[in-house]
Amino acid sequence: MTLATRLQVAPERIASAARRVMGRCEELAAVTATPGSITRVYLSPEHARVNRLAAEWMRELGMTTRQDAAGNQVGRLAPAGAPDAPALLMGSHLDTVPDAGRFDGIVGVLMALEVVRLVRRVDDEGVASSPFPFALEVVAFSDEEGTRFGKALLGSSAVAGQWDPSWWDLADADGISLREAFREFGLDPGRIGEAARRPDQLIAYLEAHIEQGPELHRSGQALAAVSSIASARRFQVVVEGEARHAGGTPYDMRRDALLGASEAALAVERICRGEHHIIGTVGQLEAFPGAVNVVPGEAHFSLDLRGEFDTTRDHTWDEISRELDAIMGRRGLRWQAREVHSAPAVFCAPLLQDVVRAGIGGEAPTLFSRAGHDAMSIGAITAVGMLFLRNPDGISHHPDEAVAGEDVAVGIRALAEAVLHLAAEPR
């Protein structure tokens, strides 16, 4: 697919836009609850501060701004004479994990603002408007990471009309409930439904994001279109054995739960490495009673299972379950698993994949995302598309997370041209 319209701007404007994005990433990095590192969680004073900054940058472009009922910051630029036109939504999130990098989510919000700057129309009186039959909206989602309350995608779930009332009872490490935190932030829990958008209010959602993996870095390419966002299942697994004296219990009498869990973790790695596009991670492992001189009688471990397709993911879980039966049977142990999260794969719309690839130009690669994104929620109410930027060494959720200003520049141009091409599509 070729672009019906090319972006007619001087290269220096693109370079200036990229410098502005990189500078604002640094400015936002200074808004943190943990001096010396970056931590910015939902409904915190830092959340309020970055929303104010985002609103200021939106108004600078002539956008109207609002903080919605879930704490997401939204800017809107409507076509002249059509204030209620449906919108192309662009953006990402501004919250972080503890000790985070500067770019995960943040760069997507800032790139979307620069796209608006490049494509907007400004009349002789300095009034900005969307040049398309649809509005341009930029959203800074408020809780993609789930750091504070243990539930990810809260902000985008509210926008998608998928808020679960049971979430109100979630509590943070200090025992503050989500309901209490809403009120302390100045939000009304009873109005959460007002954050929801209707499908007829949107034409699509586009999100730019760092890859959070090494594929573009390894291939020497700056950008990729995203085909889908991985399906996921998460489990908490309990292995039960028998706690006995470490010195007095011979090996043939031991029912060591920790060794069973350890063998299970290795089995997860072996099985998942043998499956195409399946990633399994044991990220937590605890032994009980946890004494140095006691054979562990119980072990708990987590399993994060991700795949490109739901069927392959589920097949892999079945294989892991059979292997756990065999391991625990050999060791005289029992095991049980509780599923704590399940999300289906979300596929980017073919049209939006096409316009993103056209915006990138040339032989644009296509990748599937092993990480979750706000697009997963928004896919319930509108078509979604994503653009990946190269992430040197693939490191993310870490202070060393990086993106090159040159890649941001070509990403801004690609995203803007994708918008132009989308506008040229018949409706």
Side-chain angles (χ1 to χ4, degrees):
M1 178 181 286
T2 58
L3 280 169
T5 308
R6 301 295 299 187
L7 184 65
Q8 302 298 320
V9 298
E12 178 51 34
R13 282 194 68 194
I14 301 291
S16 177
R19 287 193 295 271
R20 193 160 34 245
V21 167
M22 298 300 282
R24 286 175 171 177
C25 284
E26 291 298 321
E27 186 173 352
L28 290 171
V31 183
T32 175
T34 53
S37 65
I38 305 171
T39 303
R40 197 164 51 243
V41 302
Y42 190 34
L43 304 177
S44 65
E46 294 74 33
H47 173 187
R49 286 176 60 192
V50 295
N51 272 12
R52 287 194 294 270
L53 281 171
E56 177 184 324
W57 296 332
M58 291 168 177
R59 286 191 292 268
E60 173 188 298
L61 299 175
M63 307 180 87
T64 58
T65 66
R66 63 187 177 88
Q67 180 176 268
D68 74 14
N72 303 302
Q73 188 65 43
V74 185
R76 178 179 170 88
L77 194 66
D84 298 324
L88 170 63
L89 190 62
M90 297 181 287
S92 193
H93 62 95
L94 295 181
D95 66 303
T96 75
V97 297
D99 197 21
R102 287 163 163 71
F103 304 105
D104 173 7
I106 290 89
V107 74
V109 176
L110 299 178
M111 285 177 59
L113 289 174
E114 294 305 321
V115 168
V116 173
R117 189 189 303 274
L118 290 172
V119 304
R120 66 182 176 153
R121 178 180 293 139
V122 181
D123 65 20
D124 293 340
E125 297 179 355
V127 177
S129 62
S130 168
F132 311 121
F134 50 80
L136 297 169
E137 290 192 13
V138 176
V139 57
F141 286 115
S142 55
D143 187 44
E144 192 257 15
E145 301 288 5
T147 299
R148 183 175 181 185
F149 295 100
K151 177 69 181 75
L153 305 174
L154 287 175
S156 51
S157 292
V159 172
Q162 296 182 322
W163 191 269
D164 185 338
S166 69
W167 296 343
W168 292 122
D169 295 324
L170 295 172
D172 67 11
D174 296 319
I176 299 171
S177 72
L178 181 55
R179 186 188 304 276
E180 291 169 330
F182 253 64
R183 290 173 176 151
E184 290 177 5
F185 194 78
L187 298 173
D188 181 353
R191 301 179 65 178
I192 188 64
E194 295 177 15
R197 305 295 294 274
R198 301 190 312 270
D200 65 304
Q201 294 176 315
L202 302 171
I203 67 160
Y205 172 67
L206 288 174
E207 179 171 357
H209 206 284
I210 62 170
E211 182 196 347
Q212 297 181 284
E215 298 306 316
L216 286 172
H217 176 74
R218 288 174 174 173
S219 66
Q221 295 170 292
L223 306 175
V226 177
S227 59
S228 66
I229 304 170
S231 67
R233 294 178 74 178
R234 292 177 185 166
F235 300 88
Q236 292 292 335
V237 182
V238 176
V239 178
E240 297 174 330
E242 184 179 39
R244 294 183 63 149
H245 194 287
T249 309
Y251 280 108
D252 63 356
M253 292 182 64
R254 292 187 179 211
R255 295 168 55 206
D256 188 323
L258 178 57
L259 291 181
S262 300
E263 189 175 347
L266 292 171
V268 167
E269 179 191 40
R270 171 173 47 80
I271 291 168
C272 291
R273 290 187 70 159
E275 290 283 357
H276 183 61
H277 286 176
I278 291 289
I279 300 292
T281 302
V282 174
Q284 299 171 326
L285 176 59
E286 296 180 282
F288 302 92
V292 68
N293 59 348
V294 178
V295 175
E298 187 168 297
H300 299 179
F301 67 91
S302 64
L303 172 59
D304 181 302
L305 195 61
R306 305 180 188 222
E308 186 172 10
F309 302 105
D310 298 351
T311 52
T312 312
R313 174 205 64 185
D314 294 343
H315 164 78
T316 303
W317 168 244
D318 291 342
E319 187 173 349
I320 290 170
S321 296
R322 289 192 292 271
E323 185 64 17
L324 293 186
D325 283 340
I327 291 168
M328 305 312 164
R330 286 196 308 269
R331 291 184 171 274
L333 305 170
R334 298 183 303 275
W335 74 280
Q336 57 181 315
R338 178 171 62 91
E339 187 167 12
V340 294
H341 173 74
S342 179
V346 173
F347 291 86
C348 294
L351 172 62
L352 296 184
Q353 290 187 55
D354 287 346
V355 300
V356 169
R357 278 192 289 266
I360 295 170
E363 295 297 320
T366 300
L367 299 175
F368 99 93
S369 175
R370 292 171 170 84
H373 303 286
D374 288 302
M376 298 177 73
S377 296
I378 301 304
I381 54 171
T382 195
V384 300
M386 289 193 69
L387 170 75
F388 270 170
L389 287 84
R390 175 166 42 195
N391 178 195
D393 196 38
I395 191 167
S396 182
H397 284 189
H398 187 277
D400 289 345
E401 180 180 272
V403 68
E406 295 83 357
D407 289 352
V408 171
V410 295
I412 291 169
R413 175 177 283 279
L415 190 60
E417 292 194 341
V419 172
L420 292 175
H421 192 72
L422 184 62
E425 287 292 316
R427 285 185 167 71

